[in-house]
Amino acid sequence: LGKGKTVDGAVKMPQLNTAPANIMLVDSKEIACVETFDDGRQRIIRKTNGVLAHTNHYLDPKLFELSKRAISQSSKNRYDRAVALLNDGRVPLTFNDFVAFVNDPKIRRYGRVPKTVETNASMVLLILPNNDFKIQFQYKPDDLANKDVLVELTKKEIFKK
């Protein structure tokens, strides 16, 4: 999909509908959320302004029904909380707003019972007006259950020659 160079190019690529997936796409002008089911059926939402959110299950009612999987109440609550935070009237949202969102106690998943491994990871991407960008990726690996791993990278760091 990276060869698409733009959201428009990526959504037209045949590789996008070959496997079940939930994918967020972004370029400097547009964002898109793509849900693909096993048989290639898709739902694509595209925006040139505003926000999109997704989770680890289908949001499209038709695709969700095909998947025959139940959505846990905690997953629905986390998704609803993320959407509420994204649409709470703060404009424009800053990089630090997004970092705070992913650390919100109603979004961060700490496992089913105390002392289980956290199953949440987050990535925040900021595209700057000059097409430079900054990424923050945060997760808890199994062997470091009480410690976040935080990776921050810029375009220059990722594309070193």
Side-chain angles (χ1 to χ4, degrees), residues 87-124:
N87 292 295
D88 75 354
R90 283 183 261 191
V91 178
L93 292 165
T94 68
F95 186 82
N96 290 334
D97 287 331
F98 286 104
V99 171
F101 292 170
V102 299
N103 287 299
D104 182 286
K106 292 182 180 175
I107 292 177
R108 231 169 140 168
R109 184 168 189 264
Y110 294 101
R112 297 184 195 283
V113 296
K115 299 186 181 182
T116 60
V117 175
E118 183 176 339
T119 59
N120 190 52
S122 63
M123 183 175 76
V124 177

Side-chain angles (χ1 to χ4, degrees), residues 38-68:
D38 301 26
D39 63 7
R41 281 186 260 190
Q42 289 183 316
R43 176 183 82 150
I44 301 174
I45 298 173
R46 298 169 73 164
K47 289 187 174 187
T48 56
N49 194 10
V51 296
L52 286 174
H54 208 284
T55 186
N56 61 340
H57 53 75
Y58 292 109
L59 298 174
D60 180 271
K62 292 176 187 171
L63 295 178
F64 176 73
E65 188 176 310
L66 289 171
S67 74
K68 298 180 180 162

Side-chain angles (χ1 to χ4, degrees), residues 4-16:
K5 298 188 181 184
T6 63
V7 167
D8 191 55
V11 298
K12 292 177 181 173
M13 296 182 82
Q15 298 93 317
L16 192 62

Side-chain angles (χ1 to χ4, degrees), residues 8-42:
D8 191 55
V11 298
K12 292 177 181 173
M13 296 182 82
Q15 298 93 317
L16 192 62
N17 65 355
T18 58
N22 299 322
I23 301 170
M24 299 290 286
L25 301 167
V26 63
D27 64 30
S28 62
K29 296 180 175 46
E30 183 177 15
I31 55 176
C33 177
V34 181
E35 294 184 316
T36 304
F37 193 66
D38 301 26
D39 63 7
R41 281 186 260 190
Q42 289 183 316

